[in-house]
Amino acid sequence: MAALSFELLARDAGSRARAGRVTTAHGAFETPAFMPVGTHATVKTLSPRDLREAGARILLANAFHLSLRPGEDLIRRMGGLHRFMSWDGPILTDSGGFQVFSLAQLTRIGDEGVRFQSPLDGSPCFFSPERVVEIEEALGPDIAMPLDQPVAYPCDRDKARAALERSQLWAERSRRAHRREDQALFGIVQGSVYADLRREAAERLRALDFPGYAIGGLCLGEGRALFLDTLAAAMDGGLPADRPRYLMGAGMPVDVVRSIALGVDMFDCVLPTRNGRNGWAFTTAGPVKLRNAKYREDAAPLDAACDCYACANFSRAYIHHLFRAEEILGLRLASLHNIRYYQRLVAGARDAIREGTYGEYERGVCEAWEGAAGDGKGQET
Amino acid sequence: MAALSFELLARDAGSRARAGRVTTAHGAFETPAFMPVGTHATVKTLSPRDLREAGARILLANAFHLSLRPGEDLIRRMGGLHRFMSWDGPILTDSGGFQVFSLAQLTRIGDEGVRFQSPLDGSPCFFSPERVVEIEEALGPDIAMPLDQPVAYPCDRDKARAALERSQLWAERSRRAHRREDQALFGIVQGSVYADLRREAAERLRALDFPGYAIGGLCLGEGRALFLDTLAAAMDGGLPADRPRYLMGAGMPVDVVRSIALGVDMFDCVLPTRNGRNGWAFTTAGPVKLRNAKYREDAAPLDAACDCYACANFSRAYIHHLFRAEEILGLRLASLHNIRYYQRLVAGARDAIREGTYGEYERGVCEAWEGAAGDGKGQET
């Protein structure tokens, strides 16, 4: 049996939006899907039970961070990542390539891999495509991302081309190194904001026949218009319709619904939890900035349309008080609500695609969030 | 109907330990009872659901802190403390006398009350017995503690006598000012470590016919032997057998079981949550200091005898990792487990009292905790 299968359940008539189901060694999840980010094998402030009750069915963790602490061998000896963090559903690990390039002191990068100093203690580390596959096979997620070389935005064409070539080489080596039959290794489309490079990357990766494809290196400050154009180019580049497509690190609600319209199936983003910890609630009527004095005596829940534990039990006034008093329960309730918001966002998209009303659904989300701050940067560092 | 009733269900033959049931306007709880401390209308890191599932049936909050932020009038307008914090069971508020004397810049204390500067913004504040009753009637807990004048340890006899006289005067004024019929106002026995002063205070308060009595000003560094002697003197002073007795701010597990043997019915303490946030787990086999490297790869739960969510789902190794990575879920799981430990501690006492095995139970707890660090200081500041 394949490590991963993808079933297409419905297509939208007016866009490339689609609804489906991905089945992994630890169960299935419906797409479009949103994956809460659990960098250190925990989604910040939340328990696995919270996440399941909020509707999450697949979580993301980070191979780079976990290999540094507590170490992939320890997690393997403790029964693997699922058992370690007590999440029995699907897990995807990011390779952490993005974090290597953004956090670590780089000492050398070459075709063989990346030498860098550990951001924890400065000790020398080496990541190659083969080493990352080894880490992810030890951790045991259902879906693993290979090492690639992301580029910052802006990035000139020559540099983008060189990073693409190296990422392509690494994708091939990762594919060869990967052994674990209960784990699916995805390919990652890079190419900065150059539509032709994105198309080329997609085509070349397709030839390697990955069970799923990710689009990386977007939502890095390029702005929504360029983001959507580049994403469309990557998707048009011939990513096969029968494989799930995962847009890495996006985004604001508008980015999510627009990307779904371009055919994206999977998302991850730190915004619901990071913004939650900053007192920023996502609601069906737009953002609620909880520290604002206007919520001091507001008896309404965060979002009257929401069914989460926070909205069922507490007022904005109470959560405002918790943030003012610097109480951790405030971080928890805002994070929990935001995760639920994103789960309802993609569940609403799934329903609308099945019912043939996706265009209307997309417009509704865009109207509620028009002009809301946030550039969609959603990668954990 | 009285605001509070107390039913005695069983007495231990070998000690003064007793099991009972206190009924309030928001339901009943069994005694001996342990009240988690929710100073700012939240038990740090935990939700009301967590607390109920951990076995807590009554919570403590702090009138001083809540009157400063968000203000008792706001809480009253939001439907009272129960609704504000979404806890529909019994609540007890401490007056915050202890916090006024330990946190605030005092400007003057006299028989009329205490003038002090707000620790939040330096603004002038005035607490009198009548003002504290007013705050607590606005907040609406089921049990309210009057303003008293605690003294630090050590304290000379004259100062202890003077504070006792003032506390007695304030108890009388509080009793006269108190109107709310669904709220029980307790008396507080002071007298530092002087047995005769404790006995006298208990007798004089008894004459005021409070529905319950607290013993304050202990567990402040006097050491366990002196603590227990003084507590025994306060209890012997003729506190009526048909009223609940509440030992404020205690303590370590040994203090709790020893105090139960002297006839205490109710406890509150910040140790389970404060120590939990410091990575210190209470277990049936003594303390587990989770940051210790020896737990790095320990697949066992915090306490194999425990049935809490943390113990049912996570290893010491995982929680150790969370503390190392400074992840909030670690604080939550340790706090949750510790609250469950204390709930099981008093539930075990209740069972043992009913079954006539309390002496054995007390010895078991003392053996597990012999020599464990901690002087039992458990007052929130």
Side-chain angles (χ1 to χ4, degrees):
Chain A
M1 195 190 107
L4 181 142
S5 65
F6 179 59
E7 193 182 349
L8 207 50
L9 301 176
R11 289 173 191 273
D12 180 46
S15 74
R16 300 184 59 179
R18 59 210 212 143
R21 184 184 297 117
V22 173
T23 303
T24 74
H26 286 84
F29 58 92
E30 307 258 300
T31 61
F34 182 85
M35 303 182 280
V37 177
T39 305
H40 299 110
T42 168
V43 176
K44 289 187 188 300
T45 82
L46 300 177
S47 71
R49 186 171 80 161
D50 294 333
L51 292 160
R52 187 158 292 282
E53 290 180 1
R57 292 294 173 266
I58 170 168
L59 303 184
L60 183 140
N62 190 287
F64 165 75
H65 281 289
L66 292 172
S67 74
L68 295 177
R69 182 176 58 200
E72 72 278 8
D73 282 337
L74 185 144
I75 291 179
R76 185 180 47 73
R77 289 194 298 271
M78 299 300 296
L81 190 51
H82 294 83
R83 186 162 165 195
F84 187 59
M85 66 188 291
S86 198
W87 176 262
D88 60 7
I91 298 176
L92 179 151
T93 50
D94 191 4
S95 71
F98 182 83
Q99 287 74 27
V100 170
F101 289 93
S102 63
L103 273 187
Q105 294 275 80
L106 278 178
T107 54
R108 205 174 70 201
I109 176 165
D111 280 346
E112 78 283 6
V114 195
R115 289 187 195 284
F116 60 96
Q117 294 183 323
S118 162
L120 292 183
D121 60 8
S123 63
C125 300
F126 177 66
F127 263 25
S128 64
E130 292 78 9
R131 170 77 185 115
V132 166
V133 164
E134 179 182 73
I135 291 168
E136 292 182 304
E137 291 194 337
L139 294 172
D142 303 277
I143 303 173
M145 306 307 294
L147 185 65
D148 64 354
Q149 185 181 344
V151 291
Y153 176 82
C155 173
D156 69 44
R157 191 182 166 82
D158 288 349
K159 224 173 129 185
R161 155 68 65 191
L164 188 162
E165 292 297 336
R166 181 165 286 148
S167 294
Q168 185 68 23
L169 175 71
W170 289 0
E172 290 168 28
R173 279 167 51 190
S174 301
R175 190 92 175 85
R176 272 199 302 276
H178 191 260
R179 291 279 173 277
R180 204 167 156 156
E181 292 188 350
D182 60 352
Q183 184 176 82
L185 181 76
F186 276 25
I188 306 178
V189 177
Q190 290 287 355
S192 186
V193 294
Y194 303 99
D196 59 331
L197 296 187
R198 289 281 177 180
R199 271 191 291 270
E200 177 188 328
E203 276 164 29
R204 288 167 67 180
L205 284 169
R206 181 178 185 162
L208 293 176
D209 192 29
F210 285 99
Y213 293 88
I215 296 96
L218 284 177
C219 292
L220 296 174
E222 69 278 5
R224 187 163 287 147
L226 191 51
F227 155 63
L228 291 170
D229 284 351
T230 312
L231 176 60
M235 305 288 280
D236 290 341
L239 291 181
D242 64 348
R243 309 286 158 95
R245 301 156 180 170
Y246 158 35
L247 174 61
M248 303 177 80
M252 288 291 284
V254 172
D255 299 313
V256 170
V257 294
R258 291 272 179 86
S259 301
I260 289 172
L262 295 174
V264 171
D265 305 301
M266 297 165 62
F267 297 88
D268 79 286
C269 191
V270 298
L271 285 176
T273 44
R274 181 190 290 158
N275 284 10
R277 297 196 306 284
N278 290 328
W280 218 91
F282 288 86
T283 83
T284 43
V288 168
K289 295 176 184 175
L290 283 159
R291 289 176 170 278
N292 194 307
K294 74 176 168 183
Y295 300 118
R296 187 167 183 272
E297 201 161 339
D298 187 338
L302 290 180
D303 187 345
C306 182
D307 57 0
C308 81
Y309 175 76
C311 290
N313 289 280
F314 305 98
S315 62
R316 293 169 172 181
Y318 180 66
I319 303 175
H320 170 89
H321 163 68
L322 294 177
F323 273 93
R324 288 290 174 107
E326 298 181 353
E327 286 285 353
I328 283 175
L329 184 59
L331 315 184
R332 264 182 76 174
L333 295 177
S335 299
L336 179 68
H337 166 75
N338 285 348
I339 290 291
R340 181 67 188 138
Y341 172 84
Y342 270 81
Q343 294 302 329
R344 292 175 70 239
L345 182 70
V346 291
R350 293 193 297 262
D351 291 346
I353 293 166
R354 284 199 205 93
E355 292 160 13
T357 57
Y358 188 72
E360 190 185 326
Y361 181 75
E362 184 186 353
R363 277 192 300 280
V365 171
C366 291
E367 274 162 26
W369 282 89
E370 203 171 27
D375 63 0
K377 281 191 200 179
Q379 298 258 17
E380 184 67 275
T381 50
Chain B
M1 197 191 108
L4 181 144
S5 65
F6 179 59
E7 192 183 348
L8 207 52
L9 301 176
R11 290 172 190 274
D12 179 47
S15 74
R16 300 184 60 181
R18 61 212 209 138
R21 184 183 297 117
V22 172
T23 303
T24 74
H26 286 83
F29 58 92
E30 307 257 300
T31 62
F34 181 84
M35 303 181 280
V37 177
T39 304
H40 298 110
T42 168
V43 176
K44 286 186 189 303
T45 81
L46 301 177
S47 71
R49 185 171 83 162
D50 293 334
L51 293 161
R52 185 158 295 280
E53 289 180 1
R57 292 293 175 266
I58 170 169
L59 303 184
L60 183 140
N62 190 287
F64 164 75
H65 282 288
L66 292 173
S67 73
L68 295 178
R69 182 177 56 200
E72 71 277 8
D73 283 337
L74 186 144
I75 291 179
R76 184 179 48 69
R77 287 193 300 270
M78 300 298 297
L81 190 51
H82 295 83
R83 188 162 164 195
F84 187 60
M85 66 188 289
S86 198
W87 176 261
D88 60 5
I91 299 176
L92 179 151
T93 50
D94 192 3
S95 72
F98 182 83
Q99 287 74 28
V100 170
F101 289 93
S102 63
L103 273 189
Q105 294 275 81
L106 278 177
T107 53
R108 205 174 71 199
I109 176 165
D111 281 346
E112 77 285 6
V114 197
R115 288 186 196 286
F116 60 96
Q117 294 183 322
S118 162
L120 292 184
D121 60 8
S123 62
C125 300
F126 177 66
F127 263 25
S128 64
E130 292 79 10
R131 169 78 185 114
V132 166
V133 164
E134 179 182 72
I135 292 168
E136 293 182 304
E137 291 193 339
L139 294 172
D142 304 276
I143 303 174
M145 307 306 295
L147 185 66
D148 63 355
Q149 185 182 343
V151 291
Y153 176 82
C155 171
D156 70 44
R157 190 182 169 82
D158 288 349
K159 221 174 130 185
R161 156 65 68 189
L164 187 163
E165 293 297 336
R166 179 165 288 145
S167 295
Q168 185 68 24
L169 174 71
W170 288 0
E172 289 167 29
R173 280 168 49 191
S174 303
R175 192 93 175 84
R176 272 199 302 277
H178 191 260
R179 292 280 173 276
R180 203 168 157 154
E181 291 188 351
D182 60 351
Q183 184 176 82
L185 181 76
F186 276 25
I188 306 177
V189 177
Q190 290 287 355
S192 186
V193 295
Y194 303 99
D196 59 330
L197 295 187
R198 289 280 178 179
R199 270 191 291 271
E200 179 189 326
E203 275 164 26
R204 289 167 66 181
L205 285 169
R206 181 178 185 163
L208 294 176
D209 192 28
F210 284 99
Y213 294 88
I215 297 94
L218 285 176
C219 292
L220 297 173
E222 69 277 4
R224 186 163 287 145
L226 190 51
F227 155 63
L228 291 169
D229 285 351
T230 311
L231 176 60
M235 305 289 279
D236 290 340
L239 290 182
D242 64 348
R243 310 286 158 93
R245 300 155 179 169
Y246 158 34
L247 175 61
M248 302 177 80
M252 289 290 283
V254 172
D255 300 313
V256 170
V257 294
R258 292 272 178 86
S259 301
I260 289 173
L262 295 174
V264 171
D265 304 302
M266 296 164 63
F267 297 88
D268 79 286
C269 192
V270 298
L271 284 176
T273 42
R274 182 189 290 158
N275 284 11
R277 296 196 307 284
N278 290 328
W280 219 91
F282 289 86
T283 83
T284 44
V288 167
K289 295 176 185 175
L290 283 160
R291 289 177 170 278
N292 195 307
K294 75 176 167 182
Y295 299 118
R296 186 167 183 273
E297 201 162 338
D298 188 338
L302 290 179
D303 187 345
C306 182
D307 57 0
C308 80
Y309 175 75
C311 290
N313 289 281
F314 305 98
S315 61
R316 292 169 172 181
Y318 179 66
I319 304 176
H320 170 89
H321 164 67
L322 294 178
F323 272 93
R324 289 291 174 106
E326 298 182 351
E327 286 285 353
I328 283 176
L329 184 60
L331 315 184
R332 265 182 76 173
L333 294 177
S335 298
L336 179 68
H337 166 76
N338 285 349
I339 290 291
R340 181 67 187 140
Y341 172 84
Y342 270 81
Q343 294 302 330
R344 292 176 69 239
L345 183 70
V346 292
R350 293 193 297 263
D351 291 345
I353 292 165
R354 285 199 202 95
E355 292 161 12
T357 57
Y358 188 73
E360 192 185 325
Y361 182 75
E362 183 186 353
R363 277 192 300 280
V365 172
C366 291
E367 274 162 26
W369 282 88
E370 204 171 27
D375 64 359
K377 280 191 200 177
Q379 300 258 16
E380 184 66 274
T381 51

